[in-house]
Amino acid sequence: MVDAADLAAFRDHLDGASTVTITSHRSPDADAVGTSLALARYLRSTGKEVTCVLPDAPDEALDWMPGVQDIVLFDRDPGAAQDALHRADVLFALDYNGLSRLGPMADAARSATGTWLMVDHHMGPEDFPAAKVHDARCSSTAELLWGVIAGLGGKEAVDAEGASLLYAGMMTDTGSFRFGSVTGETHRVIAEMKDRGLDHTAVHEAIFGEQPMDRMKLHAFAVVERMEVYPEFQTAFVHLTAEDMERFNYRPGYTEGLVNKALGVAGVKVAVFAKQSSDRVKMSFRSTGNYSVRDLAEKHFDGGGHNNAAGGASEESIGVVMARLRGLLPEIASGIAASEGNQE
Ligand SMILES: [Mn+2]
């Protein structure tokens, strides 16, 4: 639920603003992009001049999102991105809460002189915003943002397209409404989206329905050749080298969901996916139950996120990262055991 005092602060800051710039995190997912575009639509309906700026491009799987082509990308057009950050009266941080999550765009964001507002559901928010709507128990930023838009009196401005943007964030951040973070409120918000004309089937189809043959082959290859399952530690790893990704003509988004395949192996409670990217190894962590992969990612791989879903990165080679992960197996297993003990 959105706090009335936070809403009042948002309203005050927005009342005096004519130019708004909306930002979200590096490697933006459906929650990041969907909320950026949905908020932009609402604010434009109130007469604001709005620009969405992201550090880099979203997955191709989000190409269907109305307005995605108009987003300014810092890595492609740093001048335009910097300009949008610097001339904004109000800046939004959506779906992240630390400026380092912007990667190379962080410095430009830090030097912005407008007022920051935040809507986010990750733990441990930094205090750079003047006001924030923050709830680490909420399953998506999209769900929180609906509360903000509704609270500001903007329900009517959310049409079927706006609803599809918010729904995409809610759907993907909850593993299609499967995770423990889903609440009655989550489904009440979806009911509101349906009332606004949401075509939920179309959103599922657009994101999960069809996939390029190369992506399917990459997943099959990863499962057969690159998955390591350690039943005695209730843990599975899967990784891809730069050569693996080249072999299957890797495109952004191709590895989405691979970590969940590892988590889906019978008896596995912790899964890690690691892939070589241009300058570093990027990692996704997942768990079921009480064991916090956020702590694991934070302690060993400069990462963060949620208890059951986190990310991290390393400057080491993929071989070194995998060796380090294997070395952590006893620590992970005792962590799982301790978390299950805590539950009783
Ligand atoms: Mn999110």
Side-chain angles (χ1 to χ4, degrees):
M1 289 302 277
V2 178
D3 186 77
D6 295 330
L7 267 182
F10 271 43
R11 191 177 284 117
D12 283 350
H13 290 296
L14 284 169
D15 275 350
S18 58
T19 315
V20 179
T21 292
I22 298 169
T23 68
S24 193
H25 57 79
R26 198 176 184 183
S27 304
D29 57 11
D31 199 27
V33 184
T35 53
S36 293
L37 295 172
L39 179 60
R41 292 167 76 90
Y42 162 63
L43 290 174
R44 284 187 190 120
S45 80
T46 69
K48 311 287 183 204
E49 187 197 326
V50 186
T51 310
C52 293
V53 179
L54 292 171
D56 47 24
D59 292 351
E60 282 176 23
L62 307 182
D63 278 354
W64 61 273
M65 287 187 165
V68 74
Q69 297 79 7
D70 303 326
I71 297 175
V72 176
L73 302 175
F74 179 82
D75 66 344
R76 283 187 208 161
D77 197 349
Q82 209 137 7
D83 183 56
L85 292 166
H86 289 165
R87 67 193 162 81
D89 302 319
V90 162
L91 300 110
F92 272 92
L94 298 185
D95 199 42
Y96 73 99
N97 60 37
L99 289 172
S100 66
R101 293 283 287 121
L102 298 176
M105 193 172 100
D107 284 341
R110 265 186 207 105
S111 65
T113 54
T115 304
W116 282 95
L117 304 178
M118 176 191 286
V119 184
D120 180 55
H121 69 132
H122 297 87
M123 285 183 226
E126 288 178 0
D127 57 9
F128 65 91
K132 53 178 171 270
V133 169
H134 181 267
D135 184 354
R137 284 163 310 171
C138 189
S139 61
S140 66
T141 295
E143 183 181 323
L144 279 177
L145 183 64
W146 168 254
V148 171
I149 292 174
L152 292 172
K155 274 191 187 192
E156 296 312 312
V158 178
D159 59 6
E161 285 195 333
S164 72
L165 293 167
L166 293 173
Y167 183 79
M170 297 175 70
M171 177 186 86
T172 52
D173 266 27
T174 57
S176 300
F177 309 105
R178 175 163 32 120
F179 297 161
S181 52
V182 171
T183 62
E185 180 61 15
T186 311
H187 287 288
R188 277 188 284 277
V189 173
I190 295 165
E192 295 263 16
M193 298 300 111
K194 285 302 292 178
D195 290 346
R196 323 216 75 75
L198 166 69
D199 182 351
H200 66 278
T201 307
V203 177
H204 280 264
E205 280 299 311
I207 293 185
F208 299 126
E210 274 196 342
Q211 55 176 312
M213 194 63 204
D214 279 334
R215 181 185 188 275
M216 210 179 274
K217 285 183 176 171
L218 179 68
H219 278 231
F221 171 84
V223 170
V224 175
E225 300 290 339
R226 297 283 185 255
M227 193 183 285
E228 307 166 29
V229 182
Y230 301 95
E232 67 276 37
F233 299 109
Q234 296 178 294
T235 297
F237 302 141
V238 58
H239 77 275
L240 289 169
T241 66
E243 296 74 42
D244 294 340
M245 292 192 287
E246 206 174 310
R247 179 174 163 192
F248 296 101
N249 304 309
Y250 172 80
R251 310 273 307 161
Y254 272 22
T255 55
E256 193 72 38
L258 207 38
V259 67
N260 294 321
K261 289 214 163 82
L263 191 65
V265 175
V268 167
K269 293 185 173 164
V270 172
V272 185
F273 168 62
K275 73 174 170 193
Q276 183 71 59
S277 78
S278 53
D279 55 338
R280 55 196 182 135
V281 171
K282 288 194 202 171
M283 309 168 75
S284 301
F285 300 79
R286 295 289 184 277
S287 66
T288 56
N290 283 352
Y291 179 74
S292 170
V293 283
R294 174 183 185 259
D295 294 344
L296 179 72
E298 201 172 58
K299 186 171 165 197
H300 297 287
F301 298 101
D302 191 30
H306 309 282
N307 281 338
N308 294 128
S314 171
E315 309 279 318
E316 300 160 314
S317 71
I318 186 86
V320 171
V321 166
M322 293 315 297
R324 267 220 287 149
L325 278 169
R326 290 175 202 118
L328 288 170
L329 281 166
E331 180 181 324
I332 294 169
S334 61
I336 294 171
S339 72
E340 288 174 347
N342 288 345
Q343 206 169 18
E344 275 134 25

